[in-house]
């Protein structure tokens, strides 16, 4: 299934995209795409519905973040060997973990606001993992049973805040609008291999990122198991799993960063596409 949320910010209703491309209203069935709805039994109940009998929604409605009531937005840094190389950083021995604040979450086509005085706002197309069945101390061999599905994430980053201002990476990662998620949560039964997906990102029509999830250093089961050693994972938690090469910071000889008035387009094979316009804060 391709689950989604549509409507004005803060007023999104749960929906699904049926096999004919029609957006179907789920608001009479579930309160949101989040929480217990993402448990295995909740997803199975949605699969069992006759989707053709659900009300159709206007295709022109705004698409919101595909997960509601997110509990934790957890990110992994330097998780692609080729991205680590372009960043001039060693391949990590363990996953690098940081967070994006929930106030960063926006829809896949919402504007991205460049922070005031920012000169190094950057892009990162990433595979998002959405937790279904929660748990702690999850074994790697059991980890995929805890995954509800996958989505596209743009891990927008302000590099000077992240790397030049001291402290943790978080201050450069969680600015408002720095976490576009969606358009869909594609349930895991429809993703044959999350480690064989092409991914790309353009800025103003120029292709900067062109990668594949097979280059992940730490695969999805490893990440789920690893993170669950330090925190319980809960339904609706989102894990952003790292980016391939081609970020603005890595461009040689002169890095390229975002400015107001530009258009980002990005996508992952089978998971849909995003498009954001950058604006000044």
């Amino acid at each position: 299934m391709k689950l989604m949320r549509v409507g004005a910010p803060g007023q999104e209703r749960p929906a699904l995209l049926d096999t004919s491309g029609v957006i179907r209203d789920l608001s009479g069935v579930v309160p949101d795409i989040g929480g217990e709805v993402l448990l295995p039994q909740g997803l199975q109940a949605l699969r069992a519905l006759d989707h053709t009998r659900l009300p159709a929604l206007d295709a022109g409605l705004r698409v919101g973040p595909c997960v509601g009531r997110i509990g934790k937005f957890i990110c992994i840094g330097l998780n692609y060997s080729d991205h680590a190389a372009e960043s001039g950083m060693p391949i990590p021995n363990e996953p690098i973990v940081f967070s994006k604040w929930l106030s960063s979450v926006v829809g896949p086509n919402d504007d991205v606001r460049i922070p005031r005085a920012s000169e190094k706002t950057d892009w990162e197309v990433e595979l998002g993992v959405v937790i279904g069945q929660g748990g702690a101390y999850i074994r790697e061999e059991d980890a995929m049973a805890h995954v509800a599905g996958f989505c596209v994430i743009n891990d927008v980053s302000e590099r000077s805040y992240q790397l030049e201002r001291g402290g943790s990476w978080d201050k450069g990662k969680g600015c408002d609008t720095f976490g576009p998620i969606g358009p869909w949560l594609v349930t895991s039964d429809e993703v044959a291999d999350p480690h064989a997906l092409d991914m790309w990102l353009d800025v103003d029509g120029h292709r900067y990122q062109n990668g594949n999830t097979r280059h992940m250093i730490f695969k999805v089961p490893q990440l789920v198991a690893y993170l669950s050693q330090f925190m319980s994972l809960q339904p609706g938690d989102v894990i952003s799993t790292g980016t391939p090469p081609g970020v603005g910071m890595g461009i040689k000889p002169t890095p390229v960063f975002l400015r107001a008035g530009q258009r980002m387009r990005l996508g992952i094979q089978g998971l849909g596409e995003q498009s954001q316009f950058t604006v000044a804060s």
Side-chain angles (χ1 to χ4, degrees), residues 99-104 156 169-178:
S99 296
K100 291 177 87 77
W101 316 128
L102 296 183
S103 53
S104 71
V156 185
W169 286 10
D170 297 356
K171 69 180 71 171
K173 292 288 192 171
C175 302
D176 290 355
T177 74
F178 272 25

Side-chain angles (χ1 to χ4, degrees), residues 64-97:
C66 60
V67 183
R69 295 184 289 157
I70 297 171
K72 295 186 285 294
F73 194 170
I74 310 161
C75 301
I76 308 299
L78 294 178
N79 195 31
Y80 283 68
S81 54
D82 38 9
H83 173 51
E86 77 167 350
S87 300
M89 298 181 183
I91 291 176
N93 294 320
E94 294 190 33
I96 296 172
V97 181

Side-chain angles (χ1 to χ4, degrees), residues 13-255:
R13 66 177 68 183
L16 63 79
L17 187 73
D18 71 16
T19 55
S20 62
V22 176
I23 299 174
R24 300 286 181 174
D25 189 359
L26 286 173
S27 61
V29 181
V30 294
D32 205 350
I33 305 299
E36 294 183 355
V37 173
L38 298 175
L39 294 173
Q41 59 268 33
L43 294 178
Q44 186 54 42
L46 293 182
R47 289 188 191 96
L49 296 172
D50 181 353
H51 296 169
T52 64
R53 297 179 66 86
L54 296 169
L57 292 172
D58 182 355
L61 285 171
R62 168 188 173 268
V63 179
C66 60
V67 183
R69 295 184 289 157
I70 297 171
K72 295 186 285 294
F73 194 170
I74 310 161
C75 301
I76 308 299
L78 294 178
N79 195 31
Y80 283 68
S81 54
D82 38 9
H83 173 51
E86 77 167 350
S87 300
M89 298 181 183
I91 291 176
N93 294 320
E94 294 190 33
I96 296 172
V97 181
F98 60 92
S99 296
K100 291 177 87 77
W101 316 128
L102 296 183
S103 53
S104 71
V105 175
V106 290
N109 304 315
D110 290 344
D111 290 345
V112 165
R113 298 204 300 273
I114 306 295
R116 295 177 185 177
S118 167
E119 295 181 353
K120 296 183 179 180
T121 297
D122 205 346
W123 55 82
E124 295 189 14
V125 59
E126 304 202 2
L127 173 69
V129 176
V130 180
I131 296 297
Q133 184 69 53
Y137 302 105
I138 297 167
R139 299 189 306 169
E140 190 174 320
E141 55 267 34
D142 300 329
M144 292 305 294
H146 292 260
V147 175
F150 302 92
C151 62
V152 182
I153 294 175
N154 189 354
D155 175 20
V156 185
S157 309
E158 212 300 338
R159 301 301 190 187
S160 64
Y161 298 179
Q162 175 191 355
L163 301 172
E164 301 169 17
R165 300 283 294 272
S168 71
W169 286 10
D170 297 356
K171 69 180 71 171
K173 292 288 192 171
C175 302
D176 290 355
T177 74
F178 272 25
I181 298 178
W184 317 310
L185 164 60
V186 181
T187 51
S188 56
D189 58 303
E190 293 195 5
V191 181
D193 184 357
H195 308 109
L197 304 176
D198 291 330
M199 53 203 311
W200 57 272
L201 183 144
D202 297 346
V203 179
D204 290 341
H206 179 83
R207 178 66 46 93
Y208 283 99
Q209 291 190 275
N210 196 11
N212 189 284
T213 56
R214 66 175 172 267
H215 296 297
M216 279 187 187
I217 298 166
F218 303 104
K219 309 298 186 185
V220 172
Q222 292 173 282
L223 293 174
V224 171
Y226 181 83
L227 292 170
S228 76
Q229 310 308 303
F230 306 102
M231 67 194 85
S232 62
L233 297 177
Q234 298 161 339
D237 285 350
V238 176
I239 305 168
S240 199
T241 58
T243 197
V247 299
M249 178 179 64
I251 295 172
K252 303 293 190 299
T254 304

